[in-house]
Amino acid sequence: LLEFTLVENPVINDVQISGNTVFSEKELSQYTKTLKNTPQNLYAINDAIEKINSYYQAKGYTLARVSSVDDTEDGILKIGISEGVISKIAFEGDRKTKDYVIRRNIMTTVGSVYNEEMIKKDLSRIYATQIFDEVDQKIEPDPNNDGKYVVTIIVKEASSNSISIGGGIDNALGVFGSIGVMEKNFLGRGQELGVNGMIGSGLLLSDVSIKNRMNYQIELNFREPHFINADNSLISKVYLRELGSYQVPLAVERRFGFNAIVHHKVRYNDKLSTNFGVGYENIHLSEGNYGEISALYNKRGLDISQRAKQLNGGNFINFAPGVQYSSLDNEFM
């Protein structure tokens, strides 16, 4: 008589999951509930592990995995999860750019679980600063913290300086030339600072109502992409212009002013933004050719003493609130 005695694997009375912070044990138990009250089955346990890993992967947690499986004498199956916590965020390649310029565009934080989708958005925000030609990342296990990782943001800085030179012929400006200098990463802070100048010889075609004289303008531009916080940016300009006036016959017009616009991104809608602008301008008018303007007044029978009213400039302030909605997937398209 040949007898076979079979001893089944211990019955799994309960399944306990540890190490999970992103998803609750209740949420993950959907993949382990079929294991309860059944003998241990290697294939069924491996299938549950694979499903848990796949669930994390599908949500962007690409470093998360089941790291341990143990059982106890009282029939409890313990599943340990290593989610891939970030212990450090480092930077490479930012020789000029300050670390905080990169860091303020990163929503991923030390101590959080690595998420591939969030990192991609972080890299896009860094690239959108337009001060880097390339932005990438690498992930390495932290040698000092088992189960944790160091994320390194690797950048290649773009050339931040540019010079533009132009010129041409225009009826109003005459023969003119212009030059501009732009620094897109001023002092490594991610700010833009530019100076533009233009000078023209004056009118080419005869126009008796406009003073024919050399005209010029100089403009200083400044942009702060992170004004007070990441939701705001500031664009400002200071300028000085002098030219033959187009509004007042034969007068010389000098304009000095500045304006600033604050753009605000609406957090709950990436396509919606608001802006508020404020500007100041001083306009000064002076006589361009008293002899010619006197002759014109006499010719038309006008009192030259009234000329002073035409040369009355002043100070002007303007405010400009606005709302902008963009349907573009990428604002740099």
Side-chain angles (χ1 to χ4, degrees):
L1 178 64
L2 181 63
E3 292 184 353
F4 293 91
T5 302
L6 301 178
V7 180
E8 289 185 331
N9 288 335
V11 173
I12 299 174
N13 296 318
D14 194 14
V15 179
Q16 294 180 356
I17 301 175
S18 62
N20 54 304
T21 60
V22 177
F23 305 118
S24 66
E25 185 170 356
K26 180 179 179 181
E27 193 171 357
L28 296 177
S29 64
Q30 60 181 313
Y31 305 114
T32 62
K33 61 184 178 181
T34 58
L35 300 177
K36 292 182 181 181
N37 302 318
T38 61
Q40 290 185 13
N41 182 292
L42 183 61
Y43 293 108
I45 293 174
N46 284 338
D47 182 62
I49 291 172
E50 182 62 31
K51 288 180 178 178
I52 292 174
N53 289 340
S54 297
Y55 188 68
Y56 271 95
Q57 298 283 326
K59 300 295 184 179
Y61 300 100
T62 54
L63 298 180
R65 70 187 190 283
V66 173
S67 57
S68 64
V69 179
D70 299 302
D71 59 341
T72 63
E73 293 181 356
D74 53 355
I76 297 176
L77 184 69
K78 295 186 175 183
I79 298 177
I81 297 176
S82 174
E83 291 186 317
V85 174
I86 299 172
S87 61
K88 181 180 179 182
I89 298 177
F91 307 101
E92 286 185 9
D94 51 332
R95 298 185 302 274
K96 176 181 179 180
T97 308
K98 309 295 184 184
D99 281 357
Y100 72 81
V101 174
I102 305 175
R103 193 182 303 278
R104 69 192 182 190
N105 290 286
I106 300 175
M107 299 296 104
T108 302
T109 59
V110 172
S112 64
V113 177
Y114 177 86
N115 185 285
E116 187 75 18
E117 297 304 317
M118 183 173 290
I119 285 290
K120 286 181 180 179
K121 292 180 180 179
D122 291 339
L123 298 182
S124 295
R125 278 190 292 270
I126 296 170
Y127 186 74
T129 62
Q130 302 184 61
I131 58 178
F132 302 108
D133 281 335
E134 298 177 12
V135 180
D136 206 347
Q137 55 129 350
K138 65 179 178 181
I139 311 164
E140 299 173 308
D142 189 338
N144 302 316
N145 293 283
D146 187 37
K148 295 186 177 181
Y149 296 84
V150 175
V151 176
T152 303
I153 306 297
I154 306 170
V155 297
K156 180 181 178 182
E157 293 178 327
S159 176
S160 59
N161 299 316
S162 64
I163 298 177
S164 59
I165 299 175
I169 301 176
D170 182 81
N171 288 344
L173 299 176
V175 179
F176 69 91
S178 64
I179 184 169
V181 179
M182 173 68 75
E183 167 60 65
K184 290 186 177 180
N185 192 8
F186 183 60
L187 299 178
R189 298 174 180 175
Q191 301 165 334
E192 290 184 9
L193 181 66
V195 179
N196 299 290
M198 188 277 295
I199 187 168
S201 63
L203 295 176
L204 286 182
L205 300 180
S206 176
D207 191 327
V208 294
S209 67
I210 300 177
K211 172 65 178 176
N212 189 5
R213 67 188 303 277
M214 183 172 288
N215 51 75
Y216 67 87
Q217 69 177 31
I218 186 168
E219 193 173 275
L220 178 66
N221 299 282
F222 177 77
R223 177 177 178 268
E224 170 57 73
H226 192 278
F227 182 64
I228 301 177
N229 58 48
D231 295 328
N232 303 316
S233 62
L234 169 69
I235 300 176
S236 58
K237 175 172 65 177
V238 179
Y239 60 88
L240 174 65
R241 300 168 184 157
E242 185 168 305
L243 67 159
S245 177
Y246 293 95
Q247 284 78 35
V248 181
L250 295 176
V252 176
E253 185 175 291
R254 176 179 293 177
R255 291 176 177 258
F256 169 76
F258 70 85
N259 58 58
I261 301 176
V262 176
H263 292 271
H264 174 75
K265 296 179 180 178
V266 178
R267 290 189 179 184
Y268 61 82
N269 191 327
D270 293 338
K271 298 182 181 298
L272 185 64
S273 64
T274 62
N275 57 74
F276 182 80
V278 59
Y280 163 82
E281 186 173 54
N282 172 266
I283 301 177
H284 178 267
L285 293 165
S286 60
E287 194 64 80
N289 190 318
Y290 187 78
E292 288 190 23
I293 196 66
S294 296
L296 287 175
Y297 267 65
N298 290 332
K299 183 178 179 179
R300 291 169 173 77
L302 300 175
D303 184 1
I304 191 62
S305 65
Q306 299 299 313
R307 173 64 169 173
K309 295 181 180 179
Q310 288 187 318
L311 300 178
N312 186 23
N315 298 298
F316 304 89
I317 298 176
N318 64 78
F319 301 97
V323 178
Q324 178 179 335
Y325 180 86
S326 174
S327 60
L328 295 176
D329 292 332
N330 187 326
E331 61 179 299
F332 297 102
M333 291 177 62

